[in-house]
Amino acid sequence: MNEPELFPISVEGVWGFIDRNGEVVIAPRFEHARPFSEGLACVKVPGTSAVDRELERSYEGFISVDGAFVIPPGPLEKAAAFERYDCHSYGDFHEGLARIHLNDATGIDGFIDRAGKLVIWPEFDSSRDFSEGLAYVELGRRWSGANPDRVGFIDRLGNFVIENNAFTSALDFAEGRATVEVLGKSGARERALIDTQGRYVIPPGVYSWISRAVCGAIWVVTQESVGLVDLDGKEIVSPGVFDQINESVDGKIFAAVRNGRRILIDSTGSQVAEVSASGQIGCFQGGMATIKRNGKFGYIDASGTECVSPTFDFAGPFKGSLALVRFGSTDAYVDRTGRLVWQTDQWEQPNRNGVRPPLSDFLPVNLLEAIPLSYNWMGIRNAILFSAGGELSALLDWYRRRFTIEVDYENQSIYDDRLEGIQFRILGAHERPIEVTAVDGATDEVEEFSAFLGCSNLEELKRKRPTAIHGMLIDR
């Protein structure tokens, strides 16, 4: 789709958009805004009715690149058909359809078209975006442990094309393959790879993790080793050949480490370049990868050249021409040379505005994004997923300085010995303890965290901010 590149900005918590040159093309006027996808961007505005104002209720809608609403905010025309309907939220458009979620974290999902019409009736307990004509859904999932009614992938008409109630989660289809998670015989979750007929290409239990296909290569983990396989599950790079291989989000370049050397390989396993600059390399996205040195972030390109020196406290992935960075109190967009094209000291972490009390009071100081959990997990009152900049240790120190903390599991196993991260309870500031769990997005732990929760929202955060801290706030 031939359309101008536009990037969301926030000034004092009010959102708008700039172009690739840093010029404001849609003046800030929204409560929140997400990046454009297929020519439409989801934005949030306050409701206008007396009841909306009394309840401080906001609504999401979609605008085009000229800033005009294509799908207006407000209750859907057919919303009255849903019992207890009081709000809705949208996913981004993929293949002409966007997810709609009704009734907060305890609701149901369906899909709308670009005209805002319900084309797949909301009935699913959870869902993912459409990719290659298919979307993963769960119908009748019982989080108490009982089997769901139906789980699998639906087509654009809402019909099940692949159905397997053993699935507990899945990634989107890419290049005719999808990674799924199933319950093994021991009750443990195991990863597998399926084709568009639902047949296993890689059966459950072969690898501890399987990523999405990227340019014919699939990133896999077995025990402590990482490798690459092709679309048929045949090894391209055997696990253990490299000490580490980072995933590639949307290109054919993978950053690898062997005997201390940082090497860039392509999706055939061939060496492309060697990175001479020191530092920890992140995942390639948009043709660039972050490099972290002495606690600061910069960028390298696909030739291994350090094109932006590490000077930022946080560096997001390149999406088109620009990437969002932070240094000190300044949020900015930079181009591929590191030139600042737009900046502000008044971003004010606008994502806090969409989080309800009491959890809004406990979001970390270096917050990058905060979104609700995509389903009602274990009967909790409220749960918020967040991404934050900096280090886990700094995050823990900030919470310790600000709140009274109990049950600190720093650098120990959490969630039944499945994760390495931090977990604690905040006491004294609320009638119920607030639980905090966080893991380092630059490690494999975020994959385990995502698999444990089975939450598509966390997977979205991980893809958007692969080097950030990812965590969850819980009010039980």
Side-chain angles (χ1 to χ4, degrees):
M1 184 178 296
N2 187 16
E3 60 188 36
E5 287 185 302
L6 299 183
F7 304 85
I9 59 170
S10 171
V11 180
E12 296 182 348
V14 183
W15 290 71
F17 291 85
I18 60 170
D19 64 16
R20 61 187 297 177
N21 298 314
E23 298 294 329
V24 176
V25 294
I26 299 177
R29 63 178 186 272
F30 308 112
E31 282 189 358
H32 184 56
R34 297 205 301 268
F36 276 85
S37 178
E38 298 186 357
L40 298 175
C42 184
V43 299
K44 181 184 290 187
V45 297
T48 57
S49 72
V51 175
D52 289 337
R53 290 193 294 269
E54 180 181 354
L55 298 177
E56 298 182 349
R57 192 158 52 190
S58 299
Y59 297 98
E60 292 183 346
F62 287 89
I63 60 171
S64 58
V65 293
D66 61 1
F69 275 100
V70 175
I71 299 175
L76 288 182
E77 180 180 351
K78 297 182 179 180
F82 298 94
E83 183 182 1
R84 297 182 298 105
Y85 170 81
D86 58 8
C87 63
H88 69 270
S89 61
Y90 294 116
D92 296 322
F93 273 92
H94 295 269
E95 300 184 353
L97 299 177
R99 287 179 289 118
I100 179 170
H101 183 76
L102 302 181
N103 288 330
D104 286 337
T106 60
I108 51 179
D109 290 356
F111 292 85
I112 63 169
D113 64 14
R114 293 175 63 86
K117 295 181 179 180
L118 285 169
V119 293
I120 298 179
W121 196 252
E123 61 175 340
F124 304 108
D125 290 87
S126 64
S127 65
R128 291 183 63 91
D129 297 320
F130 271 88
S131 178
E132 299 187 353
L134 299 172
Y136 177 78
V137 297
E138 296 181 347
L139 180 62
R141 168 73 72 181
R142 308 297 184 218
W143 296 109
S144 61
N147 291 330
D149 296 333
R150 304 183 76 180
V151 174
F153 291 82
I154 58 171
D155 61 19
R156 294 171 59 85
L157 298 176
N159 300 318
F160 275 89
V161 175
I162 300 171
E163 188 169 355
N164 189 332
N165 282 20
F167 295 167
T168 60
S169 66
L171 303 182
D172 302 335
F173 267 93
E175 302 179 39
R177 300 290 185 266
T179 297
V180 297
E181 187 178 74
V182 302
L183 286 177
K185 294 180 179 179
S186 65
R189 298 182 179 188
E190 299 177 345
R191 283 78 177 179
L193 189 72
I194 62 171
D195 62 17
T196 54
Q197 305 300 312
R199 298 171 299 204
Y200 287 122
V201 177
I202 300 177
V206 176
Y207 299 106
S208 58
W209 184 255
I210 303 173
S211 73
R212 296 177 79 239
V214 178
C215 297
I218 299 170
W219 185 82
V220 296
V221 180
T222 175
Q223 297 178 346
E224 300 299 324
S225 300
V226 182
L228 299 177
V229 300
D230 64 17
L231 299 178
D232 296 320
K234 297 178 180 178
E235 290 185 351
I236 298 173
V237 177
S238 299
V241 170
F242 291 96
D243 301 322
Q244 179 61 40
I245 302 175
N246 292 345
E247 286 187 80
S248 180
V249 176
D250 59 5
K252 65 179 181 180
I253 301 300
F254 298 79
V257 178
R258 181 167 56 197
N259 298 327
R261 297 171 55 205
R262 279 83 48 71
I263 300 168
L264 303 186
I265 59 176
D266 63 19
S267 55
T268 69
S270 300
Q271 180 173 329
V272 174
E274 184 168 351
V275 181
S276 59
S278 62
Q280 179 182 358
I281 302 172
C283 300
F284 271 89
Q285 183 170 355
M288 307 276 276
T290 58
I291 185 168
K292 182 180 180 181
R293 187 167 61 243
N294 299 325
K296 300 293 184 179
F297 292 90
Y299 295 94
I300 63 170
D301 62 20
S303 70
T305 302
E306 183 179 290
C307 45
V308 180
S309 298
T311 57
F312 305 118
D313 299 316
F314 163 80
F318 272 88
K319 297 180 179 179
S321 302
L322 306 180
L324 185 63
V325 300
R326 177 177 297 117
F327 51 97
S329 62
T330 298
D331 291 86
Y333 279 98
V334 297
D335 65 16
R336 291 172 182 267
T337 69
R339 180 178 66 91
L340 299 176
V341 300
W342 182 89
Q343 60 183 309
T344 181
D345 292 326
Q346 298 176 315
W347 190 284
E348 289 196 352
Q349 304 301 345
N351 290 287
R352 298 174 185 271
N353 299 335
V355 179
R356 296 176 301 177
L359 294 188
S360 57
D361 298 327
F362 305 106
L363 291 168
V365 63
N366 289 333
L367 179 73
L368 303 175
E369 187 165 358
I371 55 178
L373 198 68
S374 62
Y375 61 88
N376 186 21
W377 188 60
M378 299 177 66
I380 58 178
R381 289 179 174 85
N382 193 8
I384 293 296
L385 297 172
F386 66 83
S387 294
E391 305 288 342
L392 272 176
S393 58
L395 177 69
L396 182 60
D397 288 343
W398 180 82
Y399 274 109
R400 279 176 168 158
R401 290 194 302 270
R402 190 175 177 88
F403 305 104
T404 301
I405 287 178
E406 182 183 87
V407 194
D408 174 15
Y409 292 103
E410 181 184 9
N411 297 324
Q412 296 183 24
S413 297
I414 57 179
Y415 283 139
D416 300 326
D417 298 330
R418 303 185 73 169
L419 296 172
E420 298 288 333
I422 58 175
Q423 185 182 50
F424 51 86
R425 292 189 296 172
I426 300 173
L427 305 177
H430 181 52
E431 62 267 25
R432 297 177 299 272
I434 301 299
E435 297 181 13
V436 183
T437 302
V439 297
D440 187 348
T443 70
D444 294 341
E445 299 304 319
V446 71
E447 306 291 357
E448 291 290 339
F449 192 28
S450 179
F452 180 83
L453 293 179
C455 175
S456 60
N457 282 4
L458 181 56
E459 189 65 27
E460 291 176 13
L461 289 180
K462 185 261 179 185
R463 290 181 184 175
K464 289 167 64 177
R465 307 179 190 278
T467 60
I469 294 169
H470 300 292
M472 180 169 65
L473 298 176
I474 294 178
D475 175 21
R476 294 190 183 275

